[in-house]
Amino acid sequence: MSQIGLLVVVVGTMIFLALQAGDNLQARAIPTGFDFVGDSVGIQLSEGIDTKPATGGRALWVGMVNTLRISVAGIVVATMLGVVIGLARLSSNWIVSKIASVYIETMRNIPLLVQIIFIFAVIQTLNGLDEDTGPISGWFVVSNKGISIPRLFGLNGSFQWFAFMIIGLVVAWWVHRRRVQEQDATGAVTYPVLSAVGVLAVFGIIGFFVHPVMGFLGPVFGAMANLLGSISESLLQLLLALAALLLAARRIRNFLKSMSSGGGRAKLVDDDYFRMVFAGVGALAAVLVVFAWPGLSSWLLNSGQDLFELLESRFGSGNGGRPFDAKKPDLNITRFVNYGPAGLTLSPSFAAVFIGVVLYTAAFIGENVRGGILAVPKGQSEAAGAIGLSRGQSLRHIILPQAFRIIMPPMGNQYLNLAKNTSLAIAVGYSDLVQVGTTVYNQTGKTLPVVAIWMLFYLSVSLTISVIVNYINVRLKIVER
Amino acid sequence: MVFTTDSTFAESVPAPAAPPKTIKLPPREWIKQNLFSTPFNSVLTVLFGALIFAAWRGLLSFTFSHERSWDAVATNLRLMFTAAYPQEQFIRIWVCIGFILGLAAITVGAYAVASRVRVHFLAERTMVFGGVIGVSGLLAPFSTSATVWYIVIGFGLLLPGIAARTQIDEEATLPLMGLLGIAFALPVLSLWVIPYGHHALLDGELIAEPGTVARSSSGPWTVVLIISYALYLLVAKVMNPSAQARLKRAVVGIWLVSPLFLVFIILRDPAFDYDHIASVQVPLFLAYAILGGALLYWLTKPGVGEIGRIVAATVLLAAIGTFLFSAFGFGGMRQIVRILALALAAFALLAPTFSGEQAARRRYVRVWVITVLGLVWFVTAANSPSTVATLSDWFPGGFSVTLMVATFTLILSFPLGVVLALARTSKMPIFRVMSTFYIEIVRGVPFITVLVFFAIMVPLFLPSNMEISQIAAVVVAYSLFSAAYMAENVRGGLQSIQAGQHEAAEALGMTGTQKTVFIVLPQALRASIPPLVGQTIGTFKETSLLAIIGVFDFLFVARTLIPTQTFFLGSLKEGLLVVCLTYWFFTYNMSKASQRLEQRLGVGER
């Protein structure tokens, strides 16, 4: 009863606020609507897959790609650095552990934004770009125009090479399993990981020469594209709707099953009904969206078809050349080129955000790693010592696998923070989603729609990261009988 | 050996907080064990030792290089810390500093946290400090005479340190507060002796003005020092325990209210219109205090029952109505009337929870009267025009705006976070879903997007006749953002409460609200203190984002204002270094304090 009263008050207040906001929006003539996505805008971006995007939507897309680029790279490098720092913090060498703790205390206690701005200021006062700039002239260049190193990049043949490598992965996995079985059975040391890596390396080298044999995949992808082309839009709508309904039905059935035992079903409370209703309403909403918006299913069909056609052309004949090529930094022009066949370049603003985010997050990851390792009971390492494992062996086989389970959830949080923190790029002008969005709404005045796109994008990134981390957590959980 | 002797062992119970004694190795042994135990370790030591020297040298030559123009920071220190606060009004800032330090002294005295410091600990710190200064003198690009001075000072600290370390008994201690007093008094004394001055820009020329800083600040600092120390002595040594206990309770409340008091009365100096106050605010206060107090006194009577609830609900509807009517053109009602009505509704709804004996009911009414007084005073002060003439519409800037935004955000977001956490753990699915939805969305997006969103939306949610300044919108946005994180921390605490606590409270016949307010929340909040302090530090650090949206904060001055001054064109790094150091100083000390607090509270041990 009191719940309903409270609900009326809360919902009433919200409706009131929403009405108020709507009135005010109209009164102040604040524009809403997403038409800027298709309209042309005159925006010049500092870097990205397309520096002169034609439409507002395209500009935001470039920003999204830039955000993802810096987030993924940042996560990989910050993890490596963080693990090293966490281990260094636990080192028995006084000087090493002291350096690690000073590093952590410094990085954690200075706001990331200040760090990024500071790094950017330092990069801007470096030497200018010249033929012999940098620690290794021509190869490794550090200048006020950015940091550049040679880069390996894929040609058309790389698709066939990767397809070949997938076979290699399967074989390597099989070899690894066989070796582990042998080791378990006989007790002999068989180096399973080492041999799997060896198999992979052999496949990589062989594939470099014989990768055109994978060209037969081209017609296969072509057939897939034709298949998708023959499916009608309404059939897909029907299928999607059926899938949503089936999913909801299965969910409710499983839930009811979990509530009942041999003796009958447990008494259902409000909360349980609410859950079931929620699942049903969700499914109905999905069906409604599918039928009310035919563009969705045709978009799905078309993009699937496009993807397979692209793959067909990549695998087709005439793509048998070298899979890879390497290029040195291109110093002939006054500024570095980030895309296309040239060296791998970090522009000053990218470098500032990247270095800042990596150094900052690594400090937190280091603390997580240290905490995780310390949380493994001391008896584990003592037992490992008692059965004669060396310190390295006990770390690798006993401590780290257990610590990993403890480290993983906070690590997921840090990855989330890193992805969100890349939005500070706006301070140094790296064209990430927030920076591009600011430019777009300054030009079109459509602040609220842009903010909505920001939020949707970051929410889906957060969701993706937490789904991956949760999956790993579930996989790593100790199976208890 | 160093182990405890029989006599100490025989002495009754050992002190519970005494740390286990560590065995001190002689220096040679220590170096062998910690630095050169294996060949690999030796290599690491040499490698990283060289790295430290290189890094330290790099930092020193960066800091003391000829390219650095530290004048840029020295001249603009005032701008960085107070922005355009008028100079002739600086006495207000002194009053604030004095108030805060005096209150801190009273708190330290009342809680008797003053402990003693081991002489050996001090000696070690002095030794290390002296050594670092000496080595820095060798590494930095100083002139010869400066190098000699640095080395002399370094040895001047190193040698007494070594002497104290070897000569004085290991157990000897000194009182911490005495030491702090001396540490505070020494720089203040130096103000009277050394003519510190600042640089002034006059017609594009930089002019050193020796003695200006010393002249203007030696008096105030001395007064502040004497008052604070006297207050500490008064509370810690003179006061009797029962008065101390009463003071302890009062101090917490004063800490919570003082930011409002300092900002809105002292720093802002509102020009009160006393006739208006006498004709409007005072009657309003009296009406709410007397009528509302009577209503609450009746509502807290134990046997009121269903009719009390209906009355409370009516008050709530009326309170919300006051906001609604203004939206539909029935404006003209004073904002304060609506706010007080809403507060009264909240008190009325909570009344059954606090019902009981006469004394409890009177206390509840007393709290209500104090709340009304505080609200009336606050709204009046905030709405009166400021007499402190500044360039922008809002007086503080620089570091003071950072501090202010952080403080108000914490004060606002904490209750909101607790409510969100309670909603998320409640049994009512609708509130749980709404709260979860809000928390997860806010936590899933970066602060800057929330800031932009709320900076637009908050003014839109308000009635059309109500204006809100940019900084207030920022504080509201920041609080809404921060509350989601607070809620997750509090939720952790809530989940750590054992089921037995709930069951025991129910067995005593408590209502749901009583259980939450008196049993669950106190324990949950205590358990969530460490993450909440972490969150506080994060909030303080993230205030730097205000610079992006154009608030005149600390970082904005260092990054945008100083490098564009014609005389200091491009002096960016100096200001940024100062910003880094200031943030570091505050957050580092906060995190150390939180670790100590954690140990003191024994979180996770009981």
Side-chain angles (χ1 to χ4, degrees):
Chain A
M1 188 58 217
S2 66
Q3 185 178 352
I4 295 172
L6 253 174
L7 184 70
V8 169
V9 171
V10 172
V11 173
T13 315
M14 282 185 172
I15 290 175
F16 163 66
L17 283 178
L19 286 176
Q20 183 90 45
D23 287 353
N24 278 328
L25 271 178
Q26 277 182 348
R28 301 184 191 194
I30 296 175
T32 50
F34 287 85
D35 45 344
F36 70 91
V37 171
D39 292 352
S40 68
V41 285
I43 294 177
Q44 169 81 51
L45 302 181
S46 67
E47 63 185 283
I49 46 176
D50 184 358
T51 49
K52 276 192 187 137
T55 63
R58 176 75 180 164
L60 289 175
W61 170 246
V62 175
M64 286 180 199
V65 173
N66 277 342
T67 296
L68 287 179
R69 197 164 74 107
I70 202 165
S71 303
V72 172
I75 284 174
V76 172
V77 181
T79 309
M80 296 195 285
L81 187 60
V83 169
V84 169
I85 286 164
L87 291 176
R89 186 94 161 68
L90 290 170
S91 163
S92 61
N93 187 318
W94 182 83
I95 214 163
V96 172
S97 80
K98 215 64 188 170
I99 286 181
S101 69
V102 166
Y103 172 88
I104 290 173
E105 289 299 343
T106 313
M107 287 298 157
R108 280 206 310 185
N109 287 322
I110 298 174
L112 176 58
L113 180 65
V114 182
Q115 291 188 33
I116 288 177
I117 292 175
F118 190 82
I119 295 170
F120 189 61
V122 170
I123 291 178
Q124 280 191 320
T125 49
L126 289 173
N127 290 334
L129 192 54
D130 209 330
E131 284 293 336
D132 50 313
T133 313
I136 309 170
S137 63
W139 288 83
F140 180 26
V141 180
V142 177
S143 72
N144 62 2
K145 293 284 189 290
I147 301 166
S148 192
I149 54 171
R151 170 166 72 164
L152 203 67
F153 59 94
L155 299 175
N156 277 340
S158 61
F159 283 83
Q160 295 165 353
W161 185 81
F162 274 117
F164 194 74
M165 281 308 278
I166 289 174
I167 300 176
L169 265 177
V170 173
V171 175
W173 173 78
W174 180 77
V175 167
H176 179 260
R177 219 182 69 165
R178 276 288 306 275
R179 290 280 169 133
V180 168
Q181 278 171 358
E182 201 183 320
Q183 187 169 340
D184 287 351
T186 63
V189 182
T190 53
Y191 303 107
V193 176
L194 219 59
S195 37
V197 171
V199 168
L200 215 57
V202 169
F203 263 88
I205 294 166
I206 296 175
F208 198 82
F209 300 104
V210 303
H211 62 86
V213 297
M214 302 307 288
F216 75 92
L217 280 174
V220 177
F221 286 126
M224 295 286 280
N226 285 338
L227 182 70
L228 277 184
S230 63
I231 293 178
S232 76
E233 190 186 296
S234 44
L235 183 65
L236 189 71
Q237 276 180 332
L238 213 63
L239 282 176
L240 282 176
L242 264 180
L245 288 177
L246 270 179
L247 220 68
R250 234 184 78 181
R251 214 182 142 81
I252 294 174
R253 209 187 59 204
N254 283 349
F255 179 71
L256 284 178
K257 209 189 254 172
S258 75
M259 295 300 287
S260 58
S261 59
R265 191 186 299 147
K267 191 170 173 294
L268 295 178
V269 289
D270 283 2
D271 196 18
D272 303 328
Y273 286 117
F274 180 77
R275 271 188 200 180
M276 289 189 281
V277 170
F278 197 74
V281 170
L284 283 182
V287 172
L288 218 65
V289 166
V290 166
F291 280 107
W293 192 18
L296 178 73
S297 22
S298 62
W299 176 76
L300 274 178
L301 278 177
N302 286 338
S303 48
Q305 206 176 340
D306 288 350
L307 178 71
F308 281 120
E309 273 166 9
L310 180 84
L311 284 174
E312 182 190 6
S313 69
R314 296 293 187 200
F315 277 96
S317 55
N319 283 324
R322 265 187 306 171
F324 296 106
D325 203 353
K327 277 275 160 84
K328 283 207 292 185
D330 192 354
L331 297 177
N332 296 325
I333 27 181
T334 48
R335 65 186 283 266
F336 284 128
V337 184
N338 298 308
Y339 293 88
L344 180 68
T345 301
L346 313 180
S347 69
S349 46
F350 183 98
V353 180
F354 181 75
I355 296 172
V357 157
V358 162
L359 292 184
Y360 186 76
T361 315
F364 287 89
I365 291 180
E367 277 296 87
N368 291 344
V369 169
R370 166 171 168 267
I373 291 174
L374 284 181
V376 175
K378 214 171 170 204
Q380 295 288 327
S381 59
E382 285 168 357
I387 60 170
L389 297 184
S390 76
R391 209 179 129 75
Q393 279 175 327
S394 89
L395 199 67
R396 199 149 47 91
H397 295 297
I398 309 290
I399 308 291
L400 281 185
Q402 296 184 59
F404 199 66
R405 292 192 185 102
I406 306 166
I407 295 168
M408 211 49 214
M411 201 81 121
N413 261 338
Q414 291 311 327
Y415 292 161
L416 268 178
N417 286 342
L418 191 148
K420 286 187 286 174
N421 280 338
T422 54
S423 64
L424 295 180
I426 188 175
V428 291
Y430 173 63
S431 303
D432 83 320
L433 178 60
V434 173
Q435 204 261 344
V436 175
T438 316
T439 320
V440 169
Y441 75 60
N442 279 337
Q443 247 184 36
T444 59
K446 301 281 172 60
T447 318
L448 286 179
V450 170
V451 171
I453 292 176
W454 282 351
M455 291 198 166
L456 270 181
F457 173 77
Y458 280 108
L459 279 179
S460 30
V461 169
S462 304
L463 205 67
T464 315
I465 292 177
S466 47
V467 164
I468 294 173
V469 170
N470 275 342
Y471 174 76
I472 295 174
N473 276 342
V474 171
R475 285 293 308 269
L476 284 177
K477 225 195 259 169
I478 298 177
V479 182
E480 286 171 359
R481 261 163 282 184
Chain B
M1 284 299 287
V2 207
F3 292 117
T4 48
T5 57
D6 280 348
S7 64
T8 51
F9 193 68
E11 267 175 26
S12 58
V13 207
K21 237 185 183 151
T22 48
I23 306 162
K24 278 255 154 78
L25 291 170
R28 262 188 62 195
E29 289 290 312
W30 184 89
I31 286 175
K32 200 176 163 194
Q33 217 171 67
N34 288 297
L35 296 178
F36 298 101
S37 57
T38 58
F40 176 65
N41 252 350
S42 312
V43 172
L44 276 185
T45 304
V46 172
L47 217 66
F48 280 92
L51 182 82
I52 286 183
F53 271 99
W56 188 237
R57 197 192 150 82
L59 194 66
L60 285 171
S61 30
F62 182 82
T63 316
F64 294 103
S65 132
H66 294 299
E67 287 168 25
R68 297 284 89 77
S69 64
W70 288 101
D71 288 344
V73 175
T75 312
N76 286 303
L77 265 188
R78 251 176 213 174
L79 191 66
M80 284 180 83
F81 282 86
T82 60
Y85 202 80
Q87 206 168 334
E88 65 276 8
Q89 302 272 15
F90 270 11
I91 183 72
R92 300 181 179 283
I93 296 178
W94 286 115
V95 171
C96 288
I97 293 175
F99 185 92
I100 292 173
L101 283 180
L103 194 57
I106 292 177
T107 316
V108 171
Y111 279 84
V113 287
S115 51
R116 300 179 71 83
V117 190
R118 278 179 37 244
V119 176
H120 267 209
F121 175 78
L122 282 179
E124 275 162 21
R125 287 298 152 104
T126 321
M127 272 163 58
V128 171
F129 193 57
V132 168
I133 288 184
V135 174
S136 306
L138 284 176
L139 287 176
F142 292 138
S143 61
T144 322
S145 61
T147 311
V148 171
W149 269 113
Y150 267 78
I151 293 172
V152 167
I153 294 173
F155 267 94
L157 289 169
L158 188 65
L159 293 179
I162 293 176
R165 176 83 168 69
T166 48
Q167 298 303 316
I168 298 176
D169 179 41
E170 199 180 338
E171 301 298 323
T173 55
L174 288 171
L176 175 67
M177 282 312 285
L179 283 175
L180 273 182
I182 294 170
F184 190 11
L186 279 180
V188 173
L189 272 181
S190 80
L191 279 176
W192 291 95
V193 181
I194 304 171
Y196 296 109
H198 74 285
H199 293 77
L201 268 179
L202 226 79
D203 301 327
E205 249 185 276
L206 197 66
I207 297 165
E209 296 181 355
T212 45
V213 173
R215 262 201 307 281
S216 64
S217 63
S218 54
W221 273 122
T222 314
V223 173
V224 166
L225 169 70
I226 292 172
I227 290 179
S228 312
Y229 208 73
L231 280 173
Y232 164 71
L233 286 181
L234 187 74
V235 173
K237 309 282 182 209
V238 182
M239 229 176 221
N240 59 341
S242 69
Q244 272 182 358
R246 252 178 288 141
L247 198 61
K248 259 191 197 176
R249 278 201 299 264
V251 152
V252 178
I254 297 175
W255 271 118
L256 283 178
V257 180
S258 55
L260 290 175
F261 168 73
L262 291 178
V263 169
F264 284 99
I265 296 294
I266 305 292
L267 283 179
R268 194 161 178 273
D269 187 29
F272 286 122
D273 179 356
Y274 288 103
D275 294 340
H276 188 258
I277 289 178
S279 63
V280 178
Q281 265 87 8
V282 172
L284 259 178
F285 163 69
L286 287 177
Y288 267 102
I290 295 171
L291 297 179
L295 178 72
L296 291 176
Y297 190 70
W298 174 70
L299 279 175
T300 43
K301 207 162 79 180
V304 165
E306 199 59 35
I307 190 153
R309 250 181 240 175
I310 293 170
V311 170
T314 318
V315 173
L316 182 65
L317 283 182
I320 292 175
T322 59
F323 282 93
L324 280 173
F325 288 142
S326 76
F328 293 116
F330 290 91
M333 193 176 246
R334 287 183 187 286
Q335 207 54 249
I336 177 113
V337 180
R338 301 175 183 146
I339 293 171
L340 285 176
L342 211 58
L344 181 63
F347 268 75
L349 284 174
L350 273 177
T353 306
F354 292 91
S355 69
E357 297 294 310
Q358 286 277 339
R361 291 167 67 189
R362 273 203 215 102
R363 197 161 57 229
Y364 196 60
V365 174
R366 209 153 54 222
V367 172
W368 162 246
V369 173
I370 292 173
T371 311
V372 175
L373 184 65
L375 279 174
V376 171
W377 164 74
F378 172 68
V379 175
T380 314
N383 281 335
S384 304
S386 167
T387 54
V388 182
T390 52
L391 299 173
S392 58
D393 65 327
W394 191 249
F395 61 89
F399 190 59
S400 42
V401 89
T402 302
L403 274 184
M404 200 192 76
V405 169
T407 314
F408 284 117
T409 303
L410 285 173
I411 294 176
L412 279 178
S413 64
F414 181 67
L416 200 59
V418 171
V419 169
L420 279 174
L422 286 175
R424 193 168 179 179
T425 49
S426 83
K427 289 201 188 70
M428 310 175 193
I430 295 162
F431 293 114
R432 208 175 51 218
V433 168
M434 286 201 301
S435 165
T436 311
F437 206 63
Y438 177 79
I439 292 174
E440 291 306 327
I441 284 187
V442 171
R443 276 162 47 91
V445 300
F447 179 38
I448 187 83
T449 61
V450 178
L451 207 57
V452 173
F453 179 69
F454 281 121
I456 303 164
M457 288 311 280
V458 167
L460 296 185
F461 284 138
L462 295 172
S464 47
N465 56 351
M466 195 173 159
E467 289 291 316
I468 186 166
S469 68
Q470 184 207 15
I471 198 98
V474 165
V475 169
V476 171
Y478 202 176
S479 308
L480 289 170
F481 176 77
S482 187
Y485 288 81
M486 287 259 179
E488 282 303 272
N489 294 334
V490 175
R491 187 168 72 108
L494 286 173
Q495 283 172 342
S496 74
I497 307 294
Q498 288 157 2
Q501 298 286 337
H502 292 263
E503 287 157 8
E506 275 155 22
L508 285 173
M510 285 185 166
T511 64
T513 327
Q514 280 174 333
K515 187 178 76 180
T516 311
V517 173
F518 297 119
I519 306 295
V520 177
L521 264 188
Q523 298 184 60
L525 291 182
R526 186 168 158 277
S528 48
I529 280 176
L532 281 178
V533 174
Q535 170 64 25
T536 308
I537 295 173
T539 305
F540 179 68
K541 276 196 299 181
E542 291 215 332
T543 46
S544 56
L545 261 76
L546 299 181
I548 293 183
I549 58 165
V551 174
F552 265 50
D553 88 325
F554 197 34
L555 181 59
F556 188 84
V557 173
R559 186 192 170 208
T560 317
L561 293 188
I562 297 179
T564 49
Q565 294 170 340
T566 35
F567 199 82
F568 303 118
L569 217 55
S571 326
L572 175 58
K573 283 182 253 176
E574 296 83 2
L576 286 179
L577 261 184
V578 172
V579 172
C580 283
L581 267 182
T582 313
Y583 269 115
W584 184 86
F585 176 78
F586 275 85
T587 45
Y588 180 76
N589 282 312
M590 272 197 261
S591 65
K592 283 292 158 207
S594 90
Q595 283 168 13
R596 241 168 286 149
L597 183 74
E598 221 171 294
Q599 280 169 6
R600 229 175 123 77
L601 287 169
V603 173
E605 283 169 24
R606 263 179 272 177

